[in-house]
Each structure stands twice: as structure tokens, then as C-alpha cells.
Amino acid sequence: MHASDYNEVVFMHYTDCKCLIMKITTALVSMNTVRNDVMSDLSLFFIYAQTQRLYYTTRSVIVKYKKLICSEYQYVTEYNSLPGEHALLSERYTQPLILQRHRDQKEREEEIRSRGERFQQVLRSRSSEDSVHLNSLFDPDGHGISPRAVILQGNSGNGKSFTVQKIMMDWASGDLYKEQFDIVFHLKCKEINCIPGENSLVEILSYSCSLTSDQISQILLHSPEKVLFIIDGFDELRLTEGIYYMSPNTDLLQKASPVVILCDLLRGRILPESFLLVTSRSTATDTLSDLLKRPQRFSEIIGFSEKGVDEYFQKFFQNEEFSRKAYTFVKANETLITACSIPVVCWIICTTIQERFKTGANVTNGLETTTSIYVDFVSTLLKHHCQGQSVPTLMRSLGQLAERGMLEQQVLFDEKRVNKMVSNPSDCPFLCKILFKRRIHQETMFSFMHLSFQEFFTALYYVLLDKEESKRKLTELLVIKERPMIFSLRLPAMVEFACGLLNKNVRCTLKKHGLFVCPKKQAYLKEWTLKMLLYYTERHVRLKVQIAVGFMCVYIFAEKRKKKK
């Protein structure tokens, strides 16, 4: 065989395999003697041609897949979007603070209790010390070890799914993990729960993306070490106790229930060379960590910094004047600027203010606005994360837990108490689960997202009680003469929420969830506020005067509302 014939075979690495075989056969037949070295060379060229053909085919498929990802993931559908409506991801996504370490009890309490400027100082200290960007999630640690699996933890509404969408978009655009991962697959646990029957991993992936089963098989077999699986919402996966004792599935084409297959992927039984990024609420992180292959890394989204909130407002309004006006108003409200660290609350606030700008309504109608923001947040989580639960029962349980914490000055609750008061606390999107080291063991505790939510749920509990029970509870607060000062400082905020919850529009929103508030409680609440005001005004202690001023603000607001009516 001449050199030109060899070159022709090499040149055909991108053509159809049948054509290649015919050429090689013709070349062999034309020779009188088939030398061993020629046969060896032909075999090598045949393998090389097959490899190159697979490479170019796979590459072409991935390029098309990336284009589809860019087209699909560039838009976001918001909670209030009408059919066909969407916003650009670039006009909504803002990088949240992501930490790659666990915080101790002192740090957690500091974050939960602080608000306003003090809260921003705490976040700034976290940001300057430990904050990481998306491009460094899989970077080697101090020992040079890169994680095979990364846990991305975050509370409800903290932007886990948004962050996943941003990762997918940036990878497909060539701006993220370009050299690290040839392909990234996105699996949503909520969707996996709905896949019927038994399926292989390849079939499960074909449900969630535009590729065929054959294309997926080719890609996964070609370079599994260059594959990233993003598993979104592990806490929503319907795990059963028997999941740990089932026979392992190790083959791409082996079939089992989708949840079992996913767990085998997480364990590293299927495609152990691949990489994983798994998002979860804190309530399921310990279960995930036990299941997940190693080496693994823990990361947590803790929300927006002050700079992040400002950036989000600018992107949302796309108007410098409106953005400045809205941000200035929110920053002046200690409760709202603190709540803005939660991305979904930030969106609710911006949406509410934007609506007021459009209608010409008064943006600075502070007290009712603050309460309605919290009600909208609770309403959003109830709709999207609490299906199947009795809302009145859940709200009562959370209210009782919140009240107990307020009376005992607690923001962290031990697991035993929470289990007694709240049914299935791990399924509750309003609670955070935290693990602390205690010498040679771990302790599990729960908290509300922030102290302001604890105050809100306490107020909601009081206004949802019947009139007599509500009066009794408020009277008890009044007669606790040796009440701790720190609790008394929080009472005005709690009463502010209670007043806001009596607003007609707020009551209508609550009614949609089966929560009924009697407006007649307003007169007694005003009377109780006046008694508290007098009680603290009589005591000439600086701290008590501060509390009295808080009650005075609430009382004045109640009077204004009465005159307005």
C-alpha cells in the first residue's frame, strides 16, 4: 500500500464507518501479500478513525446542546409571570454570598439577632473572610484535593435554583468551567419524583434535556471524568428507608426506579469519575452528606450582601432614578433592608415598589408595606413548598414555637422541642436546620430564617387566635413585670406586625390560605399598646424609654389609620 493510500484512510476519520471499511478491504484485496506490519498499521488507523469520528460526532452534539441551553436558560419565569411573560436572567441574577465553611453557634446567633446596619456589618465580615465565586466551587483545597461532589446549601428563597440556572447558562456560553467539564446535565428532584416506572440513568437524563438516549450514552462513555451533574432540590426527593439497602446499580443502562438510580449516581456507584453539584435546604443536608460520594465539599448560600441588594435593585428597575428612590426607602426601614438579604424577599419588595411607582401610590406607607412583604413571602413559600400540609395547623405550630422563643429569649431551638411542636420540621420551609459540634458528637438545632420572622410568626399566632384567647395572651405579656429587657425591646416590632396583619388587603391574602383574622381585635390591640406605652414611660431607664418610643410609634400609626377611615 502506498503512502497516499494511508493518507487517504487517515483523512477519512470524519466519514461514515462503512465507507472506511470498504476502502480498507479494497486496499487489502489489491495486495498480493498482506504483511503483518501493514495489517497492524491498518488496525491502528481503523481504531484512530473510529475514535476521531466519535469525537467529532460528540463534539457536534454538545455544541448543539449548548445552543439550546443558552436559548432556554437566558430567561426566568417569575412567580407572577403571565403566560408568555419572562425576564432576562442577566436582569435578575446577582451573585449571592457563598461560604465554604460551617459557622459556629455564636456566629449563627449573631446573624439571626442583628438587623439593619449591624446586620450588614456581620455580612461584610463574612464576605471579606470566606466568600467564594461560582468558578471556584471545584477548586483544589489547601491540600491540593479537588472535590468530586459539592453540596450547595441554602434556605428557601435564597436563590439555589437561580444559581443553578446561572451556572448552566455560563457553562453553555463558555464563561464557566470551560476546561473542566465537556457537558453539564441539570436534574430537578421535583421532576424525578414524577417519572413513572423503571428507567436507566440515560433514560432519566433524556427526560430532562434535548438529547437522545444514544447521544447521552456516547457522551457519558467517551469522557465520564469531564461530566458534571447538577442535582437541584435534594430536599424534595422522595426517599424511602429501604433506599440504603437496595442492590447497587452500576451500569448506565441498568433500570430501576428513578430515585434509586439517582441515589446510586450520588453514591458514585454509577459513573464514579463524574462530578456532582447538589443543592439542598439545610433540613436535608446531613442526609445528603451521608449519601454523597467523596471527596465532598460543603458550600452555603447565605444571601445578598448590602452591595448585592443595591446591585439587584439596579438590575430590576433598569432606571437609575427609580432604583435610587426604592433603595433609599428600603434602606431607611431596618426590618426591610435586613429581609432583603433573602433574594426572593428582595424580588417581592422590588415588585411591590414597582407596582406603587406605576400607580402613583405612596411608596413610604411603611408599616403596612413591611407586614405585607412578610405575608407575601410566607404566601409564596406556602404555594410552592408546602403542598399537602394543613396551613392553619402549620402556622399555629410555628407561632407557638416563635412565641416560646420570644418569651425565653431563644433564637435556636433544640430538636426535641421542635419535634414536639411542629409536625415534620424537616419539611417546613420556614425553619433552618443547623448542626453544631459538641465535643465528640453533633447537636441538631433549628431556627427561623431571622429574628424578624420569629416576631412575625408570633404576631400572626396572636391575631389568628379567637378574640378571648388573643386578649388573654396579650394580657399575660402586660403583667410580666420582670420581663427581660431584650424581650421587651422586641415587643414593639411584634406589635407592628400585629397591626399590619389587621390590614384589609393583608387579611384577604391570608384568607386565601385558610387563615382568618378578625378585624375587631384592632381596638384591643390599640388599648394594649397604650398600656405598654404608659408602663415603660413611667420607668426612667434609658432602655425602657427606647421601648416606650417603639410603642409610641405603633400607637400613633394606629391613630392615623383610625382617622383615615
Side-chain angles (χ1 to χ4, degrees):
M1 181 180 282
H2 297 291
S4 59
D5 294 319
Y6 280 98
N7 291 335
E8 188 180 0
V9 174
V10 174
F11 179 73
M12 287 165 43
H13 62 263
Y14 54 86
T15 62
D16 188 84
C17 200
K18 279 185 180 179
C19 218
L20 177 68
I21 293 169
M22 286 174 67
K23 280 279 183 181
I24 292 171
T25 306
T26 304
L28 286 172
V29 170
S30 68
M31 289 188 286
N32 296 324
T33 306
V34 182
R35 293 188 350 241
N36 288 335
D37 58 334
V38 173
M39 284 301 296
S40 176
D41 286 348
L42 283 171
S43 298
L44 288 172
F45 276 121
F46 182 68
I47 294 168
Y48 171 74
Q50 280 186 313
T51 305
Q52 289 298 300
R53 181 176 179 274
L54 179 62
Y55 169 77
Y56 283 107
T57 303
T58 303
R59 189 176 174 183
S60 174
V61 167
I62 291 174
V63 167
K64 289 178 182 176
Y65 174 68
K66 284 183 173 182
K67 285 181 180 177
L68 286 170
I69 291 292
C70 286
S71 175
E72 180 183 347
Y73 282 72
Q74 66 179 316
Y75 299 112
V76 293
T77 302
E78 297 175 310
Y79 289 124
N80 64 346
S81 293
L82 296 173
E85 278 189 337
H86 54 253
L88 285 171
L89 178 65
S90 59
E91 293 178 1
R92 289 292 183 269
Y93 181 81
T94 299
Q95 168 83 36
L97 288 177
I98 301 176
L99 302 186
Q100 288 191 334
R101 68 176 181 87
H102 296 274
R103 282 105 73 211
D104 60 29
Q105 185 167 341
K106 183 181 177 183
E107 289 177 302
R108 289 282 188 174
E109 289 205 21
E110 187 179 36
E111 290 167 17
I112 295 168
R113 290 186 186 278
S114 61
R115 62 183 71 208
E117 182 54 37
R118 175 59 191 147
F119 180 74
Q120 297 304 331
Q121 288 174 2
V122 170
L123 289 191
R124 278 197 292 271
S125 69
R126 304 283 186 271
S127 176
S128 60
E129 294 166 8
D130 309 288
S131 182
V132 298
H133 290 275
L134 299 178
N135 59 4
S136 58
L137 290 177
F138 289 91
D139 282 0
D141 60 17
H143 303 288
I145 299 171
S146 297
R148 283 280 165 187
V150 172
I151 296 170
L152 187 60
Q153 177 182 292
N155 296 328
S156 298
N158 254 23
K160 299 182 296 296
S161 295
F162 243 48
T163 300
V164 166
Q165 186 169 342
K166 176 66 172 172
I167 291 171
M168 291 294 295
M169 184 66 187
D170 283 359
W171 166 78
S173 304
D175 298 326
L176 187 67
Y177 305 141
K178 188 175 181 179
E179 303 300 324
Q180 220 163 349
F181 304 119
D182 285 345
I183 193 157
V184 182
F185 290 106
H186 179 197
L187 290 169
K188 299 175 184 177
C189 291
K190 192 180 281 187
E191 292 178 359
I192 285 174
N193 289 331
C194 301
I195 297 175
E198 295 192 339
N199 296 266
S200 65
L201 176 62
V202 168
E203 289 170 331
I204 292 168
L205 291 170
S206 69
Y207 274 104
S208 65
C209 72
S210 58
L211 304 180
T212 66
S213 295
D214 287 342
Q215 289 171 333
I216 293 168
S217 295
Q218 269 191 355
I219 292 166
L220 295 181
L221 291 170
H222 184 253
S223 51
E225 74 286 351
K226 302 277 277 182
V227 176
L228 171 64
F229 293 99
I230 300 180
I231 316 297
D232 191 18
F234 175 80
D235 53 285
E236 297 178 298
L237 199 64
R238 292 181 195 147
L239 294 174
T240 59
E241 289 184 14
I243 203 80
Y244 296 97
Y245 311 107
M246 291 184 175
S247 300
N249 299 279
T250 57
D251 192 273
L252 281 176
L253 303 177
Q254 196 170 346
K255 294 189 178 186
S257 78
V259 173
V260 170
I261 292 293
L262 186 64
C263 287
D264 283 327
L265 177 66
L266 292 170
R267 284 186 172 117
R269 290 172 173 172
I270 303 175
L271 294 175
E273 311 94 329
S274 65
F275 289 80
L276 297 166
L277 174 63
V278 190
T279 73
S280 176
R281 284 177 50 231
S282 59
T283 49
T285 300
D286 51 346
T287 304
L288 172 60
S289 182
D290 290 342
L291 196 64
L292 205 54
K293 67 183 178 184
R294 285 166 169 72
Q296 59 179 242
R297 176 176 292 163
F298 172 83
S299 304
E300 182 174 9
I301 297 176
I302 62 172
F304 289 151
S305 62
E306 185 177 13
K307 184 180 176 182
V309 174
D310 191 8
E311 183 185 332
Y312 185 89
F313 271 62
Q314 291 179 41
K315 288 184 175 181
F316 185 94
F317 288 101
Q318 297 286 303
N319 179 298
E320 185 65 29
E321 183 187 349
F322 286 170
S323 171
R324 283 294 107 216
K325 192 174 180 181
Y327 183 72
T328 302
F329 159 66
V330 171
K331 193 173 181 181
N333 185 315
E334 195 177 64
T335 304
L336 286 186
I337 193 63
T338 304
C340 267
S341 68
I342 303 171
V344 76
V345 174
C346 210
W347 173 79
I348 290 170
I349 288 172
C350 287
T351 303
T352 302
I353 292 175
Q354 187 181 56
E355 191 175 291
R356 285 172 177 258
F357 281 147
K358 286 179 179 178
T359 59
N362 181 13
V363 178
T364 59
N365 195 0
L367 194 62
E368 288 179 11
T369 301
T370 302
T371 307
S372 68
I373 294 297
Y374 278 67
V375 169
D376 285 342
F377 175 71
V378 169
S379 180
T380 299
L381 294 198
L382 286 174
K383 182 178 178 181
H384 296 277
H385 297 281
C386 286
Q387 291 93 340
Q389 295 188 49
S390 167
V391 173
T393 302
L394 178 61
M395 293 298 104
R396 184 181 180 88
S397 300
L398 290 173
Q400 289 172 330
L401 180 66
E403 181 202 32
R404 186 51 42 200
M406 294 294 292
L407 293 171
E408 296 178 5
Q409 306 175 67
Q410 286 184 330
V411 292
L412 295 173
F413 306 91
D414 65 80
E415 188 176 24
K416 188 175 180 182
R417 167 175 281 187
V418 174
N419 283 327
K420 277 184 179 179
M421 300 184 79
V422 181
S423 176
N424 298 321
S426 292
D427 294 334
C428 177
F430 304 103
L431 294 176
C432 311
K433 186 177 178 181
I434 311 167
L435 297 177
F436 293 117
K437 286 183 180 178
R438 297 285 188 256
R439 295 178 64 185
I440 60 171
H441 65 278
Q442 296 177 347
E443 182 180 7
T444 300
M445 301 195 83
F446 287 83
S447 75
F448 289 91
M449 293 178 184
H450 186 264
L451 180 57
S452 60
F453 287 96
Q454 194 169 321
E455 294 161 354
F456 172 82
F457 280 109
T458 303
L460 182 61
Y461 173 54
Y462 285 162
V463 300
L464 288 175
L465 292 170
D466 63 59
K467 190 176 179 182
E468 293 307 313
E469 182 70 2
S470 183
K471 286 176 73 172
R472 185 181 68 78
K473 286 281 185 184
L474 290 169
T475 303
E476 284 177 3
L477 291 180
L478 188 62
V479 299
I480 304 174
K481 301 298 181 186
E482 299 305 317
R483 162 188 310 109
M485 277 296 102
I486 190 68
F487 170 67
S488 298
L489 274 169
R490 302 276 36 98
L491 273 177
M494 197 175 68
V495 178
E496 284 180 14
F497 278 127
C499 287
L501 287 165
L502 296 173
N503 174 266
K504 184 179 178 181
N505 292 333
V506 170
R507 284 189 283 114
C508 286
T509 302
L510 293 172
K511 190 176 179 181
K512 292 174 184 176
H513 297 285
L515 303 171
F516 299 94
V517 177
C518 176
K520 293 180 181 178
K521 291 174 185 171
Q522 186 176 334
Y524 184 76
L525 192 60
K526 178 185 158 188
E527 179 189 333
W528 179 87
T529 303
L530 183 59
K531 287 179 181 177
M532 294 296 274
L533 176 61
L534 293 171
Y535 172 79
Y536 285 111
T537 306
E538 288 169 2
R539 288 148 180 81
H540 301 288
V541 179
R542 184 182 173 189
L543 198 59
K544 292 181 178 179
V545 171
Q546 187 179 338
I547 299 166
V549 170
F551 280 110
M552 191 180 294
C553 292
V554 177
Y555 183 76
I556 290 169
F557 173 78
E559 281 293 288
K560 280 184 177 179
R561 233 174 83 182
K562 182 181 175 184
K563 287 178 183 177
K564 191 176 178 182
K565 286 184 178 180

